[in-house]
Amino acid sequence: MIYTRIIGTGSYLPAQVVTNEDLSKRIDTSDEWIFSRTGIKQRHVAAEDELTSDLALKASTRALEAAGLTASDIDLIVVATTTPDMIFPSTACILQAKLGASNGAAFDVQAVCSGFVYAMATADALMRTGTYRRALVVGAEIYSRILNWEDRTTCVLFGDGAGAVILERSDRPGILSTHLHADGSHRDILSVPGSIRNGQVCGSPFLTMDGNTVFKLAVKVLGEVVDEALAQHGIERSQLDWLIPHQANIRIIQATARRLGMSMDKVVVTVDQHANTSAASIPLALDLAMRDGRIQPGHLVLMQGVGGGFTWGAVLVRI
Ligand code: UT7
């Protein structure tokens, strides 16, 4: 059997930190409201001259270093982003150029906050059935540019950042399975509805969300996808070493942990420090827990994402 294994991770957060107190000076909100409803204390915000590909480049360089590789060793680049540098070319192609690489394929995946899970599933499938040997899989976002900073119901929730993973073909797992889902009938509950037509932005270029509906749906589908992933392998919930959920709201994360009967000690949480970085949230959390030694070789890790589309999914991986 051919599998893919994670052989290096990296991440990057922009230097500027915006705390809840900072926001409460600009809009009608408070640290108490934001923290009690979401678990968020602060978020990182990209500098004016930083692009999504710049964040991706820094995370990728760190992942390559961790894997002991250079960019020329990579023959597949998949970038998950909802905030690309431009309409085209893809952020993956821009990243490839910035890395100084020219091998193989590079493309973006757009599945909003589930993007990293979709990107891992895509890279895993291409490597198992194709000729690619080493993939760079990235989640990178600059949500601060698609937020209406006067809309307190959304702008307090998101942040910017990037995380990256190097996947290598192997004869032992690695990624045990991936589970992707979508239900486009819920496309309106979380969207940036604007589009470009005849040189004009038509519709709103800002993120809109029916937070309550997203919350309820997220708790439901995240619970279901955990059961699906574990059932496929006959794995008991107690055998999971780590849960790395998408970091949108601590209350959603706690609800999933409760359903799994998992102590919060086994859940990687970054939402307090990073807020919701969409496709970047899972690889950012993974990199943090790999580097601080919580996640060890041999550990069984479940990553799970959920977001606009509506999309959701999971990756079950042996480190
Ligand atoms: O990445 C995946 C996508 N995102 C998510 O998973 C997010 C899912 N949803 C959520 O996390 C939560 O629904 C929110 C955090 C967005 C909202 O929490 P909530 O407990 O559902 O609050 P709410 O929307 O019911 O709002 C309660 C009140 C409202 O006031 P009224 O109408 O009761 O007077 C809001 O206007 O809180 C008010 N409010 C705020 N107050 C202070 C909304 N935003 C703020 C704010 N500061 N930033």
Side-chain angles (χ1 to χ4, degrees):
M1 267 296 257
I2 298 172
Y3 296 97
T4 65
R5 295 185 66 80
I6 294 175
I7 59 163
T9 62
S11 60
Y12 172 74
L13 290 159
Q16 191 194 352
V17 172
V18 177
T19 64
N20 293 347
E21 283 84 6
D22 294 333
L23 288 178
S24 67
K25 288 174 195 145
R26 291 191 225 153
I27 52 170
D28 181 16
T29 190
S30 64
D31 175 53
E32 197 283 325
W33 191 96
I34 300 171
F35 185 67
S36 65
R37 302 283 176 138
T38 70
I40 296 167
K41 291 299 278 182
Q42 62 171 47
R43 70 284 297 139
H44 291 250
V45 173
E48 277 292 309
D49 60 352
E50 272 183 318
L51 298 172
T52 298
S53 61
D54 296 323
L55 274 52
L57 176 65
K58 288 186 170 131
S60 302
T61 303
R62 289 173 184 170
L64 284 167
E65 276 167 18
L69 300 176
T70 64
S72 60
D73 297 315
I74 299 297
D75 54 12
L76 175 64
I77 300 177
V78 186
V79 174
T81 187
T82 309
T83 50
D85 288 9
M86 54 186 81
I87 290 175
F88 72 80
S90 68
T91 304
C93 284
I94 299 169
L95 173 64
Q96 187 201 41
K98 288 184 176 178
L99 281 166
S102 55
N103 295 335
F107 60 93
D108 288 359
V109 164
Q110 218 278 41
V112 200
C113 300
S114 310
F116 183 74
V117 165
Y118 268 66
M120 287 286 273
T122 305
D124 178 61
L126 281 172
M127 291 170 80
R128 291 173 75 157
T129 56
T131 56
Y132 303 105
R133 295 194 54 77
R134 293 194 190 99
L136 167 62
V137 185
V138 184
E141 302 280 16
I142 302 187
Y143 261 55
S144 57
R145 296 193 186 143
I146 56 167
L147 297 173
N148 175 355
W149 285 97
E150 286 172 9
D151 175 8
R152 67 177 184 169
T153 68
T154 53
C155 77
V156 302
L157 304 174
F158 296 89
D160 303 336
V165 158
I166 310 290
L167 283 181
E168 184 174 63
R169 266 162 71 121
S170 170
D171 54 11
R172 65 194 171 98
I175 291 181
L176 296 166
S177 60
T178 62
H179 307 263
L180 303 183
H181 296 277
D183 182 350
S185 68
H186 298 296
R187 63 195 177 281
D188 293 333
I189 61 174
L190 176 50
S191 68
V192 178
S195 61
I196 292 182
R197 276 185 229 164
N198 302 323
Q200 305 286 328
V201 177
C202 298
S204 170
F206 296 124
L207 184 147
T208 63
M209 177 167 69
D210 173 350
N212 285 307
T213 306
V214 170
F215 189 103
K216 286 181 200 136
L217 206 50
V219 171
K220 175 177 175 289
V221 299
L222 288 176
E224 287 170 2
V225 84
V226 168
D227 291 343
E228 177 188 320
L230 298 187
Q232 179 169 328
H233 303 277
I235 291 172
E236 296 296 323
R237 296 163 179 202
S238 58
Q239 289 174 264
L240 271 184
D241 293 297
W242 291 101
L243 178 69
I244 306 187
H246 170 50
Q247 310 281 324
N249 186 318
I250 192 68
R251 293 186 292 139
I252 296 176
I253 295 172
Q254 286 163 341
T256 311
R258 261 198 307 277
R259 180 173 170 146
L260 271 169
M262 230 173 157
S263 148
M264 283 300 286
D265 295 347
K266 295 172 99 184
V267 182
V268 182
V269 175
T270 58
V271 69
D272 53 333
Q273 299 298 305
H274 303 172
N276 181 349
T277 57
S278 191
S281 89
I282 295 171
L284 269 162
L286 173 67
D287 183 50
L288 189 78
M290 295 280 282
R291 282 175 192 262
D292 68 19
R294 275 179 285 174
I295 298 181
Q296 292 288 324
H299 277 177
L300 188 61
V301 177
L302 186 74
M303 303 181 235
Q304 51 168 206
V306 62
F310 209 68
T311 56
W312 65 101
V315 177
L316 185 65
V317 59
R318 181 77 66 188
I319 300 295

